[in-house]
Amino acid sequence: MMKISRQFLLSFLSLIFINYYVSAQARIAELREAFLDPHSEKVLVAAHRAAHNEFPENSIAAIQKAIDLGVHIIEIDVKVTKDGIPILMHDGTIDRTTTGKGNPEGFTFEEINQFFLVENGKATTHKIPTLEEALKVSHGKILVDLDLKSEKIYPIMDVVVKTNSMENVFFFDSDYEVLKKVKAEDEDFMLMPRAYSLEMADSAIALFAPEVVHIDQKFYTEKVVTSIRNAGARVWINALGKPDQAIRAGKISSVMEELLIYKANIIQTDEPKRLLEYLETNPGTN
């Protein structure tokens, strides 16, 4: 039997790592290029609370699933424990999504780490992830929308910097005072303000010169989209709620026609796999 030298093995493993690193860098560079170009024809799919159809929302497993599916962006929600550790959690309490009860920001990380995530009312083996864990998994593989669910934003920004995630992370909030603090901390942080009208979208653009603006269906018009794109930003719209329900009912073509009628750039959904498949089989829409 032929012996493999230690040097050969190390060289082989190094080559695998280099190829993986180069591939990951190319992937994130491609995503950033599409994300930062408001006039790109590529429609990006954002997985709401990561790809949580098979795994608990805001879990590492749901993030990895989104990566495996080829999703472009994950949306994750961030809170901060009593001792300053950013964690992934959407609700004001952990009652719905874990085996525990109470305000997540009222626990230390050691205390909250005793609980398990719940899926469809049943306890799983998945733990509440830290933001650092989530960003390490997603680094170089997928863009990340950080939905700020805490007023304690400085520990969150610290983790983004610590994990070298500034190129694939952007911050989302409807509170412009919070986003002002983010921008004041570092001009290079990417932002997505939420707007509820054309006037508010104009205000967000003037204040932040953001990379993307989150708009609602009620004022999704050609005028709004043109205004945002001409300012150099992308347009984010949701399929959450009734559109996703219609997609699950097999009406994806009509839903996508409605969502893309004015050429929104990014669609957030609870059904990322279905949207990706549709875009792949209907190249004229992407």
Side-chain angles (χ1 to χ4, degrees), residues 17-266:
F17 174 78
I18 291 169
N19 287 338
Y20 174 80
Y21 178 78
V22 170
S23 176
Q25 290 299 103
R27 163 73 173 167
I28 204 65
E30 180 184 349
L31 286 176
R32 274 179 56 82
E33 182 180 2
F35 177 70
L36 295 173
D37 180 3
H39 301 290
S40 170
E41 294 299 316
K42 185 174 182 63
V43 178
L44 301 181
V45 174
H48 182 232
R49 302 179 198 171
H52 63 270
N53 286 331
E54 298 177 31
F55 302 100
E57 65 183 57
N58 282 316
S59 66
I60 294 297
I63 293 172
Q64 186 59 56
K65 181 64 177 180
I67 293 168
D68 294 342
L69 287 172
V71 170
H72 309 114
I73 302 169
I74 53 167
E75 182 267 355
I76 52 178
D77 304 284
V78 190
K79 289 185 177 289
V80 180
T81 63
K82 187 165 63 175
D83 52 343
I85 306 298
I87 59 170
L88 304 196
M89 182 60 55
H90 175 271
D91 295 0
T93 74
I94 61 173
D95 301 22
R96 177 180 66 88
T97 57
T98 80
T99 54
K101 292 185 182 297
N103 179 356
E105 298 201 332
F107 293 96
T108 65
F109 179 70
E110 183 178 359
E111 290 169 340
I112 208 167
N113 197 42
Q114 68 183 300
F115 306 123
F116 292 89
L117 292 174
V118 168
E119 176 74 358
N120 296 322
K122 296 181 180 179
T124 70
T125 58
H126 301 281
K127 293 278 193 171
I128 302 168
T130 65
L131 176 60
E132 183 170 349
E133 289 171 329
L135 294 186
K136 284 181 176 178
V137 170
S138 59
H139 186 73
K141 301 169 187 172
I142 197 166
L143 296 172
V144 179
D145 164 27
L146 286 188
D147 190 342
L148 300 173
K149 298 294 186 183
S150 175
E151 295 180 357
K152 298 183 281 188
I153 60 172
Y154 293 101
I156 297 171
M157 292 187 284
D158 287 345
V159 171
V160 172
V161 173
K162 178 183 177 182
T163 56
N164 297 312
S165 298
M166 290 179 67
E167 289 198 348
N168 66 302
V169 165
F170 55 100
F171 296 84
F172 167 66
D173 209 311
S174 55
D175 187 336
Y176 288 6
E177 294 306 312
V178 170
L179 292 182
K180 285 178 184 178
K181 292 178 183 177
V182 173
K183 204 65 174 176
E185 183 71 9
D186 195 315
E187 279 288 326
D188 290 333
F189 280 141
M190 297 190 291
L191 302 182
M192 180 170 69
R194 184 167 192 168
Y196 295 97
S197 65
L198 173 59
E199 293 73 24
M200 196 171 178
D202 288 342
S203 176
I205 289 166
L207 281 170
F208 305 114
E211 285 71 22
V212 56
V213 178
H214 184 305
I215 67 170
D216 291 340
Q217 191 78 27
K218 64 183 179 182
F219 70 103
Y220 177 36
T221 66
E222 186 175 8
K223 181 179 180 181
V224 170
V225 171
T226 300
S227 175
I228 293 172
R229 282 186 162 186
N230 286 346
R234 268 188 167 271
V235 178
W236 172 297
I237 197 164
N238 284 343
L240 308 178
K242 289 183 178 179
D244 272 342
Q245 291 172 13
I247 288 169
R248 286 188 284 272
K251 301 176 182 177
I252 190 167
S253 293
S254 59
V255 170
M256 292 300 284
E257 284 176 13
E258 186 175 339
L259 290 172
L260 297 174
I261 186 170
Y262 300 120
K263 299 189 180 299
N265 308 117
I266 305 169

